[in-house]
Amino acid sequence: MISKIKTTLSRSEVSWPTYLCVCVFGIGSWIAINGLWVELPLLVNRVPEKWNLPSYLTIIAQLANIGPLIFSIGNRLAPNQVTEKPVILLILSIGATSCVLLSIFWDRTSLLFGVEHSTALLLLSFSLAIVDCTSSVVFLTFMATFKTEYITALFVGETLSGMLPGFIGLAQGIGEQQKCFTNTTNNTHTVSQNAQENFGPSAFFLFLFGMMCLCAVAFLILNYMPFAKTQHVKVPLTRGLRQRAVSEDERQSLLGVDFLDRDDVSETCPGIFGRSCRRRTWQGFIYLLVIQAWINCLANGVLTSVQAYACKPYGNKAYHLVVTLTSIASAFTCFIALWLPSRSAVLVTVFSVLYTLLSAFVLVLASLSPTPPLHGTLLGSIIVVSVSVLSGGLVSYTKLTICSIMREIGQRALFWCGIAIQTGSFLGAIIMFPLVSVAKVFHQAKDSC
């Protein structure tokens, strides 16, 4: 392992200043929504939506898929005008502005249809979600400008976008569980009191603003600094997969399973999906896209909607540790993928099955809320935190493996990979929102005070 790290670090074709800039650039991809997620243990106790807030944010985030849809249509109709670079500058500006506004107005509420809602929080969350959803498409396709070695840096940055808010969230603290005090004069009168965190949501949102600004600076460096420009690919990748020649050995290593028979392909192939390639190459590509959509359906749609119901019965601290440690563990998973990369479809299959089983366990806990097994106990807290951290690591590694395969296939493959991510996330959210917020299938604990 040590020798492999030294070999990687000594590669002359890798510019580590450029690699660092790509990491910082990748941080801006999902830091806004990840940051909101880290703040949920504090916000659910202070906003009118309570435990339903994650479900609201999940559906809002997925409705923001209008962002990549608009970009896709614009890029299709006017490919020379609607390109990645100006769109990235635009969304980073929107993200930074929204973070500043959130630091001021996050706790403002108003009545909608006779029900009190956190209007400013929800609207600005929608704005940030447009930024992050669009980044899933445009950041990936922008990275086709660089050599293959830098795709891992983007995903290290993307998972750092969860790791950094996680560390800040740990420093922020959560306070103690709600406590009730009985009035000595009137035994039936109680009041509730919560310990305060080290700093409030406003300061946290200003931290997110600073990170968005750093991302914008890194993006400008990647485009205009000489040391970064030398790492651009000499021959730009074409937008069509059919125009790129891929050797038979490369296809075998990319797909990781026997999608192609060596005896039935020529030395070169007119594109990964060209006519001289076997049909199973197409099937392998579609198979990986389906898995990408499925695991993102669970990770970004289903589990996020019910996370509070699965974790809150075990206490505020357990919930806080789940959201922070899961984000941190996902980042470490990307570092592992840097030194131990994989392009095996078999491994993708195994990890996606394991992740599905762990997700089912979390769903069972949520369905039994507010009294799941071992609720309110140390053992129960350890189990729910451990399962969440493990599942977060599995899904991060699986997503990275699939995207690495797509990057080798070509830019258009990366585009469809981004579409699969957002499609799966949207389907999960659209299914869970009516179950959580309308049908009230999941139940939250009543205030005991």
Side-chain angles (χ1 to χ4, degrees):
M1 178 66 177
I2 299 298
S3 60
K4 184 174 183 179
I5 293 175
K6 290 181 179 179
T7 301
T8 303
L9 289 173
S10 62
R11 288 178 180 174
S12 59
E13 67 268 18
V14 175
S15 166
W16 290 102
T18 303
Y19 197 95
L20 178 61
C21 287
V22 174
C23 288
V24 176
F25 170 63
I27 289 174
S29 60
W30 280 96
I31 194 168
I33 294 300
N34 285 336
L36 277 173
W37 226 253
V38 168
E39 281 296 279
L40 280 180
L42 276 71
L43 297 177
V44 295
N45 294 324
R46 304 183 181 188
V47 299
E49 291 79 8
K50 299 296 182 182
W51 291 18
N52 286 335
L53 180 62
S55 177
Y56 277 96
L57 293 183
T58 299
I59 192 64
I60 285 174
Q62 300 314 318
L63 290 175
N65 278 298
I66 188 176
L69 178 61
I70 292 174
F71 168 76
S72 301
I73 295 175
N75 181 258
R76 180 72 175 179
L77 298 179
N80 295 325
Q81 288 75 36
V82 183
T83 59
E84 291 83 8
K85 291 183 180 180
V87 171
I88 289 174
L89 285 175
L90 175 63
I91 64 176
L92 290 178
S93 300
I94 294 174
T97 303
S98 298
C99 288
V100 171
L101 294 176
L102 262 180
S103 69
I104 303 172
F105 301 110
W106 70 270
D107 57 349
R108 303 295 176 88
T109 63
S110 62
L111 291 177
L112 295 177
F113 305 105
V115 180
E116 188 180 17
H117 284 287
S118 306
T119 313
L121 176 63
L122 298 178
L123 287 176
L124 291 172
S125 296
F126 179 70
S127 176
L128 291 176
I130 289 180
V131 171
D132 291 355
C133 287
T134 307
S135 74
S136 289
V137 176
V138 296
F139 279 28
L140 274 173
T141 51
F142 170 73
M143 284 308 300
T145 305
F146 291 87
K147 300 175 182 177
T148 304
E149 290 81 5
Y150 296 100
I151 189 65
T152 304
L154 178 70
F155 285 95
V156 169
E158 181 174 322
T159 50
L160 282 173
S161 70
M163 184 180 188
L164 293 179
F167 278 128
I168 299 299
L170 287 176
Q172 185 180 27
I174 186 62
E176 298 295 333
Q177 191 80 5
Q178 186 183 65
K179 297 179 180 179
C180 299
F181 301 90
T182 303
N183 190 306
T184 56
T185 304
N186 183 352
N187 291 330
T188 62
H189 177 69
T190 60
V191 294
S192 63
Q193 183 179 4
N194 287 296
Q196 294 296 312
E197 62 280 350
N198 295 322
F199 53 89
S202 294
F204 186 89
F205 292 135
L206 287 177
F207 157 74
L208 297 182
F209 163 74
M211 295 308 302
M212 294 295 293
C213 292
L214 282 178
C215 174
V217 171
F219 176 69
L220 294 175
I221 291 174
L222 290 173
N223 280 284
Y224 300 109
M225 291 299 291
F227 72 84
K229 293 175 69 174
T230 60
Q231 300 304 305
H232 293 187
V233 291
K234 301 302 181 182
V235 180
L237 292 174
T238 60
R239 290 187 176 273
L241 286 173
R242 292 186 174 86
Q243 299 177 11
R244 182 172 183 254
V246 180
S247 70
E248 179 250 349
D249 287 339
E250 182 183 7
R251 287 194 307 273
Q252 292 279 8
S253 63
L254 291 179
L255 296 176
V257 294
D258 189 21
F259 289 126
L260 298 173
D261 291 333
R262 289 181 175 268
D263 296 335
D264 292 338
V265 294
S266 58
E267 183 176 355
T268 59
C269 171
I272 195 68
F273 307 128
R275 289 191 176 184
S276 64
C277 298
R278 289 178 61 86
R279 181 177 298 179
R280 281 190 291 174
T281 306
W282 261 111
Q283 294 173 346
F285 177 69
I286 298 300
Y287 173 73
L288 292 177
L289 289 183
V290 170
I291 290 183
Q292 187 77 293
W294 170 248
I295 61 178
N296 278 277
C297 173
L298 294 175
N300 300 333
V302 176
L303 296 188
T304 52
S305 298
V306 301
Q307 188 178 57
Y309 294 93
C311 302
K312 279 284 284 181
Y314 298 94
N316 285 340
K317 288 187 176 180
Y319 185 19
H320 187 238
L321 288 174
V322 164
V323 297
T324 54
L325 294 183
T326 299
S327 297
I328 294 171
S330 295
F332 281 112
T333 301
C334 259
F335 284 112
I336 294 174
L338 172 63
W339 311 119
L340 297 174
S342 172
R343 293 185 177 91
S344 169
V346 174
L347 188 64
V348 166
T349 302
V350 172
F351 278 8
S352 62
V353 170
L354 290 176
Y355 178 69
T356 301
L357 295 176
L358 293 175
S359 300
F361 176 76
V362 174
L363 273 174
V364 170
L365 293 182
S367 66
L368 297 175
S369 178
T371 57
L374 301 176
H375 68 281
T377 66
L378 177 60
L379 179 59
S381 298
I382 293 174
I383 292 175
V384 72
V385 172
S386 300
V387 168
S388 298
V389 171
L390 178 59
S391 63
L394 283 174
V395 73
S396 294
Y397 191 88
T398 306
K399 288 167 61 177
L400 176 58
T401 300
I402 295 175
C403 289
S404 294
I405 295 173
M406 297 301 174
R407 171 60 179 82
E408 292 291 339
I409 294 175
Q411 186 177 16
R412 184 58 66 181
L414 280 177
F415 172 81
W416 285 111
C417 184
I419 293 297
I421 291 172
Q422 295 309 125
T423 301
S425 302
F426 176 77
L427 290 176
I430 206 69
I431 291 172
M432 295 305 297
F433 181 76
L435 296 177
V436 175
S437 300
V438 180
K440 308 292 184 182
V441 172
F442 303 91
H443 307 285
Q444 58 183 291
K446 296 181 179 180
D447 191 347
S448 59
C449 298

